[in-house]
Amino acid sequence: MADFDLIIIGGGPAGLTAGLYAARAGMSTVLFEAKDVGGEILNTELIEDYPGFESVTGAELAQKMADHARKFGLRIETYAPVKQIRLDGDRRVVELADGTIHTAYAVIVTVGGEPTKLGVPGEAEFHGRGVSYCAVCDGAFFKGADLAVIGGGDSAFQEGLFLTRFAKKLYVVHRRDEFRAQQILQDRLLGMDKVSTVTPAVVREIGGDASGVKWIDVQKDGSIERLPVEGVFVFVGFRPVGRYLFADHVDHDQSGYLITDQYMQTSIPGVYAAGDTRAQLAKQVTTAVGDATTAVLAAERYIEELKHAGRAFPKAPREVIARTTERMQLRTFPPGATVIREGDEPDYLYVIAHGDAVVTRRDATGGERVVNELHEGDYFGEIGLLTGEPRNATVRAKTSLEVLAMDLEAFRMLVRSSRATAEDITKVAAARR
Ligand code: NAP
C-alpha cells in the first residue's frame, strides 16, 4: 500500500492536466489509467478547436500532454484500472482491479465514460465484426465498403468525415431531420457526393452473416428500409462512468454525470471530478483541462487545510477533520490587519496556517497591552464560540497571516467528535481567560 497526497484516476486531457499541475506543485501524486494515456481524444482523428493547435491528431495531443506531465515528474501508471474509491477517516482509499490499495488525502476523478449503445438486435452480436464505436480505430478495415454512421452530433460528423476516406458510400442515419453537429462539420460532410442522409430514421436491427455486418434495417416514414452496409459506426451519446467507482453514495444527475461545486468538488469532501464524467455544458478538451486545473488547485488547498486542521486538533477523529476542513475558508491578512476585535460577536474559530499573530486586550487606561503571541498551528477565537460571549481580546496579524476560518457548526462538530478534543480546547480556553 502506498500513501499519496493526491490520486488522479483517468489519463485523458483532464487527468493529465491535473497531473501536470500537481507535479509542478511538488505534490506526491500518482495517476492511474485503465488503458493507455489519452482517453477520449484517442478516438478522435483531428482536433481543430484546441487553441494553439490549428490541427492536431488526438494521438499526438495525448502524447504531448503525457510527455509534458512526465517531464515535471508525474508518475503515470497505465493499464491500471481502478475498481473502487472508498473513505477511511481523512484518507480516500483507491483499490485497483488487481487488489492493490492506495490512499491519498484527495482524489480527482477524470474517467470520462463509454459510448451509448443503440440497444437493437444484432448490435452486440456484430460488435467488432462491423459494429464499431470508433472510426479512427476501425475505419481502415472498411476500404471501399458502404458504411453507415448513426447519430447527428459532433462525434457522428467528425468520425463520419474520417470514414469518407475509406467508404465507397456513407449513410448518415439520424432520428431527426436537424443535426446538432457544428455547422462547419455539417457543411464538410454533407457536401460530399458519397454521403447521403437518412432522416428521420431509427435503426431497428443490424444483420449479417458469419463474415460480419451486411445490412441495417431503419424505420423511416412508417416503413422499414434495408440499407446494405458492411460497417455501422454508432455515435449516439455517451455514458459517464465515474459514479460507478464509488463505494458510497456520490451526487450525480439523472444521466449519471457527477455533480460538483464551482471548485469541482463532488459531494464527498476531498474528491473532485473533471472532464466528461462531470455534469457540465460542453464536453470539450478546453473545458476538461480548465476544470481539471480548478480541481487540482482546490485539492491542493484542501490537503493543506486538512493537514493544518489535523495538527491543530490531533485527537479528533480523522473523518471529522475531513468534514470540518470542507467547511473551513482560507483567509489572508496583511501585517497589522485585525482578524477579531475585542467586544465583537463571536462567529469563527481561526487556525493559523502561516504567519504570526499578536493578541491584545484593552486596559483600564483605554490603551492596549499585548497578552500573547500566536504562531503556525495555534488556534484562536474558541472562547467566544464556547461561551457565546463577545470577543475578550483583539487578534491582529503580526506578519502576513493565513488563517483557516471554521464556522460555529463545524466547531460544534469538532467539539462533539471526541472527549479528548473537547478537553484540549476547553483547557486552551481556560488558560486564556
Ligand atoms: P451528442 O452531442 O450528445 O450527440 C448524440 C447524437 O446521437 C444526437 O444527434 C442524438 O440525437 C443522437 N442520439 C442519442 N440517442 C440516440 C438513440 N438512442 N438513437 C439514435 N440517435 C440517438 O454526443 P456526441 O456527438 O458524442 O458529442 C458529445 C460531446 O462532445 C458534445 O458536447 C460535442 O460537442 C463534443 N464533441 C466535440 C467535438 C469537436 O470537434 N469539438 C467532437 C466530438 C464531440 P438528437 O440530436 O435527436 O438528440
Short mmCIF file of all heavy atoms in Angstrom, two decimals, residues 248-285:
data_model
loop_
_atom_site.label_atom_id
_atom_site.label_comp_id
_atom_site.label_asym_id
_atom_site.label_seq_id
_atom_site.Cartn_x
_atom_site.Cartn_y
_atom_site.Cartn_z
N ASP A 248 -19.51 4.49 -1.80
CA ASP A 248 -20.55 5.21 -1.07
C ASP A 248 -21.33 6.07 -2.07
O ASP A 248 -20.90 6.25 -3.21
CB ASP A 248 -19.91 6.11 -0.01
CG ASP A 248 -19.02 5.32 0.91
OD1 ASP A 248 -19.56 4.59 1.76
OD2 ASP A 248 -17.78 5.40 0.75
N HIS A 249 -22.43 6.64 -1.57
CA HIS A 249 -23.22 7.50 -2.46
C HIS A 249 -22.42 8.74 -2.85
O HIS A 249 -21.74 9.35 -2.04
CB HIS A 249 -24.52 7.95 -1.77
CG HIS A 249 -25.23 8.99 -2.57
ND1 HIS A 249 -25.99 8.67 -3.67
CD2 HIS A 249 -25.22 10.35 -2.49
CE1 HIS A 249 -26.43 9.78 -4.22
NE2 HIS A 249 -25.99 10.81 -3.52
N VAL A 250 -22.53 9.12 -4.10
CA VAL A 250 -21.96 10.39 -4.56
C VAL A 250 -23.05 11.04 -5.42
O VAL A 250 -23.74 10.35 -6.17
CB VAL A 250 -20.64 10.16 -5.34
CG1 VAL A 250 -20.85 9.34 -6.60
CG2 VAL A 250 -19.94 11.48 -5.65
N ASP A 251 -23.21 12.36 -5.28
CA ASP A 251 -24.29 13.02 -6.03
C ASP A 251 -24.00 13.00 -7.52
O ASP A 251 -22.88 13.27 -7.95
CB ASP A 251 -24.43 14.48 -5.58
CG ASP A 251 -25.07 14.59 -4.21
OD1 ASP A 251 -25.50 13.54 -3.67
OD2 ASP A 251 -25.16 15.72 -3.68
N HIS A 252 -25.07 12.66 -8.29
CA HIS A 252 -24.95 12.69 -9.76
C HIS A 252 -26.30 13.10 -10.32
O HIS A 252 -27.32 13.05 -9.63
CB HIS A 252 -24.52 11.32 -10.29
CG HIS A 252 -25.42 10.21 -9.88
ND1 HIS A 252 -26.63 9.96 -10.49
CD2 HIS A 252 -25.33 9.30 -8.88
CE1 HIS A 252 -27.21 8.94 -9.88
NE2 HIS A 252 -26.46 8.52 -8.91
N ASP A 253 -26.29 13.54 -11.58
CA ASP A 253 -27.56 13.96 -12.17
C ASP A 253 -28.27 12.74 -12.76
O ASP A 253 -27.78 11.61 -12.65
CB ASP A 253 -27.35 15.11 -13.19
CG ASP A 253 -26.61 14.64 -14.44
OD1 ASP A 253 -26.42 13.42 -14.62
OD2 ASP A 253 -26.21 15.50 -15.23
N GLN A 254 -29.42 13.00 -13.41
CA GLN A 254 -30.24 11.89 -13.92
C GLN A 254 -29.51 11.03 -14.94
O GLN A 254 -29.79 9.84 -15.06
CB GLN A 254 -31.49 12.46 -14.57
CG GLN A 254 -32.55 12.81 -13.55
CD GLN A 254 -33.82 13.30 -14.21
OE1 GLN A 254 -33.78 13.78 -15.34
NE2 GLN A 254 -34.93 13.17 -13.51
N SER A 255 -28.58 11.66 -15.66
CA SER A 255 -27.85 10.88 -16.67
C SER A 255 -26.59 10.23 -16.11
O SER A 255 -25.83 9.61 -16.85
CB SER A 255 -27.44 11.80 -17.83
OG SER A 255 -28.55 12.49 -18.31
N GLY A 256 -26.34 10.42 -14.81
CA GLY A 256 -25.20 9.76 -14.18
C GLY A 256 -23.93 10.60 -14.11
O GLY A 256 -22.89 10.13 -13.65
N TYR A 257 -24.00 11.85 -14.58
CA TYR A 257 -22.81 12.71 -14.51
C TYR A 257 -22.61 13.17 -13.07
O TYR A 257 -23.58 13.52 -12.38
CB TYR A 257 -22.97 13.94 -15.42
CG TYR A 257 -22.93 13.62 -16.89
CD1 TYR A 257 -24.09 13.36 -17.60
CD2 TYR A 257 -21.72 13.56 -17.56
CE1 TYR A 257 -24.05 13.05 -18.96
CE2 TYR A 257 -21.67 13.26 -18.92
CZ TYR A 257 -22.83 13.00 -19.61
OH TYR A 257 -22.78 12.70 -20.95
N LEU A 258 -21.36 13.23 -12.63
CA LEU A 258 -21.06 13.63 -11.25
C LEU A 258 -21.32 15.13 -11.08
O LEU A 258 -20.88 15.94 -11.92
CB LEU A 258 -19.59 13.33 -10.91
CG LEU A 258 -19.22 11.85 -10.87
CD1 LEU A 258 -17.71 11.68 -10.62
CD2 LEU A 258 -20.02 11.12 -9.80
N ILE A 259 -21.99 15.48 -10.01
CA ILE A 259 -22.29 16.89 -9.74
C ILE A 259 -21.19 17.44 -8.84
O ILE A 259 -20.84 16.82 -7.82
CB ILE A 259 -23.67 17.03 -9.07
CG1 ILE A 259 -24.75 16.59 -10.06
CG2 ILE A 259 -23.90 18.46 -8.60
CD1 ILE A 259 -26.12 16.49 -9.47
N THR A 260 -20.65 18.58 -9.23
CA THR A 260 -19.60 19.20 -8.41
C THR A 260 -19.99 20.63 -8.07
O THR A 260 -20.90 21.19 -8.69
CB THR A 260 -18.25 19.26 -9.15
OG1 THR A 260 -18.36 20.21 -10.21
CG2 THR A 260 -17.84 17.92 -9.71
N ASP A 261 -19.24 21.22 -7.14
CA ASP A 261 -19.41 22.65 -6.89
C ASP A 261 -18.47 23.42 -7.82
O ASP A 261 -17.83 22.84 -8.71
CB ASP A 261 -19.17 22.98 -5.40
CG ASP A 261 -17.74 22.67 -4.95
OD1 ASP A 261 -16.87 22.45 -5.82
OD2 ASP A 261 -17.50 22.65 -3.74
N GLN A 262 -18.35 24.72 -7.59
CA GLN A 262 -17.53 25.53 -8.50
C GLN A 262 -16.04 25.18 -8.42
O GLN A 262 -15.27 25.55 -9.31
CB GLN A 262 -17.73 27.01 -8.19
CG GLN A 262 -17.32 27.36 -6.77
CD GLN A 262 -17.51 28.83 -6.45
OE1 GLN A 262 -17.32 29.65 -7.32
NE2 GLN A 262 -17.88 29.15 -5.23
N TYR A 263 -15.65 24.48 -7.35
CA TYR A 263 -14.25 24.06 -7.23
C TYR A 263 -14.03 22.63 -7.74
O TYR A 263 -13.00 22.04 -7.49
CB TYR A 263 -13.78 24.18 -5.78
CG TYR A 263 -13.88 25.60 -5.27
CD1 TYR A 263 -14.80 25.94 -4.27
CD2 TYR A 263 -13.09 26.60 -5.81
CE1 TYR A 263 -14.91 27.25 -3.83
CE2 TYR A 263 -13.19 27.90 -5.38
CZ TYR A 263 -14.10 28.23 -4.39
OH TYR A 263 -14.22 29.52 -3.98
N MET A 264 -15.05 22.09 -8.37
CA MET A 264 -15.00 20.74 -8.94
C MET A 264 -15.07 19.65 -7.86
O MET A 264 -14.78 18.50 -8.11
CB MET A 264 -13.75 20.49 -9.82
CG MET A 264 -13.56 21.49 -10.89
SD MET A 264 -14.95 21.51 -12.02
CE MET A 264 -15.08 23.26 -12.32
N GLN A 265 -15.46 20.04 -6.62
CA GLN A 265 -15.56 19.03 -5.56
C GLN A 265 -16.91 18.33 -5.67
O GLN A 265 -17.94 18.96 -5.84
CB GLN A 265 -15.40 19.65 -4.18
CG GLN A 265 -15.42 18.58 -3.09
CD GLN A 265 -14.99 19.11 -1.73
OE1 GLN A 265 -13.84 19.03 -1.35
NE2 GLN A 265 -15.93 19.66 -1.01
N THR A 266 -16.88 17.00 -5.59
CA THR A 266 -18.12 16.22 -5.60
C THR A 266 -18.78 16.36 -4.22
O THR A 266 -18.30 17.12 -3.37
CB THR A 266 -17.82 14.73 -5.85
OG1 THR A 266 -17.06 14.24 -4.74
CG2 THR A 266 -17.02 14.52 -7.13
N SER A 267 -19.83 15.59 -4.00
CA SER A 267 -20.49 15.66 -2.69
C SER A 267 -19.64 15.02 -1.60
O SER A 267 -19.98 15.09 -0.42
CB SER A 267 -21.87 14.98 -2.77
OG SER A 267 -21.71 13.65 -3.23
N ILE A 268 -18.52 14.43 -1.96
CA ILE A 268 -17.61 13.83 -0.96
C ILE A 268 -16.40 14.75 -0.79
O ILE A 268 -15.69 15.02 -1.76
CB ILE A 268 -17.15 12.42 -1.41
CG1 ILE A 268 -18.36 11.51 -1.58
CG2 ILE A 268 -16.17 11.84 -0.39
CD1 ILE A 268 -18.04 10.14 -2.12
N PRO A 269 -16.16 15.25 0.45
CA PRO A 269 -15.02 16.14 0.67
C PRO A 269 -13.72 15.50 0.19
O PRO A 269 -13.48 14.30 0.42
CB PRO A 269 -14.98 16.32 2.19
CG PRO A 269 -16.31 15.92 2.68
CD PRO A 269 -16.89 14.97 1.69
N GLY A 270 -12.90 16.29 -0.50
CA GLY A 270 -11.61 15.77 -0.94
C GLY A 270 -11.68 14.93 -2.20
O GLY A 270 -10.67 14.41 -2.64
N VAL A 271 -12.88 14.79 -2.78
CA VAL A 271 -12.99 14.04 -4.03
C VAL A 271 -13.53 14.99 -5.10
O VAL A 271 -14.60 15.59 -4.94
CB VAL A 271 -13.90 12.80 -3.90
CG1 VAL A 271 -14.00 12.08 -5.25
CG2 VAL A 271 -13.36 11.86 -2.83
N TYR A 272 -12.77 15.14 -6.17
CA TYR A 272 -13.08 16.11 -7.21
C TYR A 272 -13.33 15.37 -8.53
O TYR A 272 -12.92 14.22 -8.68
CB TYR A 272 -11.89 17.08 -7.39
CG TYR A 272 -11.57 17.80 -6.10
CD1 TYR A 272 -10.84 17.17 -5.09
CD2 TYR A 272 -12.04 19.08 -5.87
CE1 TYR A 272 -10.58 17.81 -3.88
CE2 TYR A 272 -11.78 19.74 -4.68
CZ TYR A 272 -11.06 19.10 -3.69
OH TYR A 272 -10.81 19.73 -2.51
N ALA A 273 -14.01 16.06 -9.45
CA ALA A 273 -14.24 15.45 -10.76
C ALA A 273 -14.05 16.51 -11.84
O ALA A 273 -14.34 17.69 -11.62
CB ALA A 273 -15.65 14.87 -10.85
N ALA A 274 -13.54 16.08 -12.99
CA ALA A 274 -13.37 16.99 -14.12
C ALA A 274 -13.46 16.18 -15.41
O ALA A 274 -13.29 14.96 -15.40
CB ALA A 274 -12.01 17.71 -14.04
N GLY A 275 -13.75 16.90 -16.50
CA GLY A 275 -13.83 16.23 -17.80
C GLY A 275 -15.21 15.66 -18.07
O GLY A 275 -16.20 16.08 -17.47
N ASP A 276 -15.24 14.67 -18.96
CA ASP A 276 -16.52 14.19 -19.48
C ASP A 276 -17.38 13.43 -18.48
O ASP A 276 -18.53 13.11 -18.78
CB ASP A 276 -16.26 13.26 -20.69
CG ASP A 276 -15.74 14.02 -21.89
OD1 ASP A 276 -15.67 15.26 -21.82
OD2 ASP A 276 -15.40 13.36 -22.90
N THR A 277 -16.85 13.11 -17.33
CA THR A 277 -17.65 12.36 -16.35
C THR A 277 -18.40 13.30 -15.40
O THR A 277 -19.20 12.86 -14.60
CB THR A 277 -16.75 11.35 -15.59
OG1 THR A 277 -17.51 10.18 -15.31
CG2 THR A 277 -16.15 11.93 -14.32
N ARG A 278 -18.14 14.60 -15.57
CA ARG A 278 -18.74 15.61 -14.69
C ARG A 278 -19.91 16.30 -15.39
O ARG A 278 -19.85 16.53 -16.59
CB ARG A 278 -17.64 16.63 -14.35
CG ARG A 278 -18.10 17.84 -13.70
CD ARG A 278 -16.99 18.82 -13.41
NE ARG A 278 -17.64 20.03 -12.98
CZ ARG A 278 -17.88 21.07 -13.75
NH1 ARG A 278 -17.45 21.09 -14.97
NH2 ARG A 278 -18.55 22.11 -13.28
N ALA A 279 -20.95 16.64 -14.63
CA ALA A 279 -22.10 17.34 -15.20
C ALA A 279 -21.67 18.74 -15.61
O ALA A 279 -21.18 19.51 -14.77
CB ALA A 279 -23.22 17.41 -14.17
N GLN A 280 -21.83 19.07 -16.89
CA GLN A 280 -21.37 20.36 -17.41
C GLN A 280 -22.01 20.60 -18.76
O GLN A 280 -22.65 19.71 -19.32
CB GLN A 280 -19.85 20.36 -17.55
CG GLN A 280 -19.39 19.21 -18.43
CD GLN A 280 -17.93 19.21 -18.75
OE1 GLN A 280 -17.30 20.25 -18.74
NE2 GLN A 280 -17.39 18.05 -19.05
N LEU A 281 -21.78 21.78 -19.31
CA LEU A 281 -22.44 22.14 -20.56
C LEU A 281 -21.78 21.49 -21.77
O LEU A 281 -22.44 20.98 -22.67
CB LEU A 281 -22.41 23.68 -20.72
CG LEU A 281 -23.06 24.23 -21.96
CD1 LEU A 281 -24.57 23.96 -21.96
CD2 LEU A 281 -22.81 25.73 -22.08
N ALA A 282 -20.44 21.52 -21.82
CA ALA A 282 -19.75 21.10 -23.05
C ALA A 282 -18.67 20.08 -22.76
O ALA A 282 -17.90 20.23 -21.82
CB ALA A 282 -19.12 22.31 -23.71
N LYS A 283 -18.63 19.05 -23.58
CA LYS A 283 -17.55 18.06 -23.43
C LYS A 283 -16.46 18.41 -24.42
O LYS A 283 -16.43 17.92 -25.54
CB LYS A 283 -18.08 16.67 -23.74
CG LYS A 283 -18.97 16.12 -22.67
CD LYS A 283 -19.03 14.61 -22.79
CE LYS A 283 -20.29 14.10 -22.16
NZ LYS A 283 -21.48 14.41 -22.98
N GLN A 284 -15.59 19.29 -24.03
CA GLN A 284 -14.53 19.76 -24.91
C GLN A 284 -13.18 19.58 -24.21
O GLN A 284 -13.12 19.54 -22.97
CB GLN A 284 -14.73 21.25 -25.20
CG GLN A 284 -16.04 21.56 -25.91
CD GLN A 284 -16.08 21.06 -27.34
OE1 GLN A 284 -15.16 21.32 -28.11
NE2 GLN A 284 -17.11 20.33 -27.71
N VAL A 285 -12.12 19.48 -25.00
CA VAL A 285 -10.79 19.37 -24.40
C VAL A 285 -10.50 20.65 -23.60
O VAL A 285 -9.94 20.61 -22.50
CB VAL A 285 -9.70 19.16 -25.47
CG1 VAL A 285 -8.34 18.96 -24.82
CG2 VAL A 285 -10.03 17.96 -26.34
#
